[in-house]
Structure formats: C-alpha cells, structure tokens
Amino acid sequence: MKISIGNDHAGPDYKKAIVDFLEKQGHEIINHGTNTNDSVDYPDFGHPVATDVETGKAELGIVICGSGNGIAMTVNKHQSIRAALCWTKEIAALARQHNDANIISIPARFTSIPQAVEMVETFLKTEFEGGRHQNRVNKIACK
C-alpha cells in the first residue's frame, strides 16, 4: 500500500518509528514531514498528505502534530478527506469501520510512540463496514 505521511516539529521521532514499521511491512511511504524539532507550520505538511490521498497518489494518510488537532483541521478542509484524531487503537478501528476515515491524525504530545505505531497498524488493517454507515459518510462532505 502507498501511504502519505506528514508531521510538524512535534512528530519527527513518531514519524521515524511509524515509517520504519510500515516499510518492514512492505508499504511504500511518501514523506512530507519535517525531520527536525525546529518549529514549523503544520499546514505546510498536512496539505500535501491530503492532496496525495485526494488524488489517489496514496491510499491512506498519516498526519502528526502536538495535539493532533491543528493538522486534522487542516487536512479535513479537503472535500474528500475524512481525518480522524485518534489516541487509542480502538478509536482508530472505529474511525475506519464507521467513518471510512482515510487519514489518521496522531497527537504526539498525548500518545507514546508504541501507541502511535499500534494505532497506525490497526488503522491500516481495519476495513470500512459500509452498510448503515455509508449513508452517514455520504453526508459528511459539503457539496
């Protein structure tokens, strides 16, 4: 699977651990994140991930910032993006199962690196259930 990832200065260590895990699983990674702790603006790293997912360049996306909120708000401005802010693997599973989330947003300051990797693994392995959830998902985007 091709996965796009982006992060601000709160997430370089998280990104490295996640990318290492995903590459070992055979996934191809498109990296839009910073590799330093120098302060940067999260929209500069979120928008490219959202564009990759929107255009089909990547199947799913991962974004990381301190709270996970700012970067999630950024990517959710894109009409076909459904980013979910997750802090447990159970929330990551429900985001895929019920909301057909296509980007996971990780709060680096509120989760550990092992938790983040576990959430990503769950997010990627979980399928959208469709059914009663499809009608709700169809109503999310502003037309």
Side-chain angles (χ1 to χ4, degrees), residues 47-66:
H47 284 302
V49 173
T51 299
D52 285 350
V53 174
E54 272 188 316
T55 62
K57 185 174 178 182
E59 294 173 58
L60 294 173
I62 302 165
V63 293
I64 308 161
C65 76

Side-chain angles (χ1 to χ4, degrees), residues 53 59-60 76 78-105 122-123 126-141:
V53 174
E59 294 173 58
L60 294 173
N76 275 323
H78 295 250
Q79 284 297 306
S80 63
I81 297 304
R82 292 173 306 281
L85 172 58
C86 299
W87 55 94
T88 68
K89 68 179 183 178
E90 293 82 8
I91 292 171
L94 287 172
R96 292 284 300 133
Q97 289 172 335
H98 292 186
N99 311 116
D100 199 19
N102 50 17
I103 295 180
I104 184 172
S105 181
T122 299
F123 189 80
T126 305
E127 297 291 327
F128 177 51
E129 289 180 353
R132 71 183 195 274
H133 304 292
Q134 185 63 60
N135 189 49
R136 298 168 187 155
V137 169
N138 292 343
K139 294 179 178 183
I140 293 173

Side-chain angles (χ1 to χ4, degrees), residues 8 10 18 23-24 37 47 53 64 73 117 119 126 134:
D8 72 0
I18 290 166
E23 288 179 340
K24 286 178 186 168
N37 296 321
H47 284 302
V53 174
I64 308 161
M73 291 176 188
V117 171
M119 288 188 298
T126 305
Q134 185 63 60

Side-chain angles (χ1 to χ4, degrees), residues 4-61:
S4 185
I5 190 167
N7 61 283
D8 72 0
H9 52 275
D13 294 338
Y14 286 72
K15 179 185 67 179
K16 181 180 180 339
I18 290 166
V19 168
D20 288 348
F21 169 78
L22 293 174
E23 288 179 340
K24 286 178 186 168
Q25 303 297 313
H27 298 290
E28 183 179 341
I29 307 303
I30 304 168
N31 179 6
H32 293 291
T34 183
N35 294 320
T36 74
N37 296 321
D38 297 336
S39 183
V40 295
D41 298 330
Y42 54 80
D44 296 339
F45 303 95
H47 284 302
V49 173
T51 299
D52 285 350
V53 174
E54 272 188 316
T55 62
K57 185 174 178 182
E59 294 173 58
L60 294 173

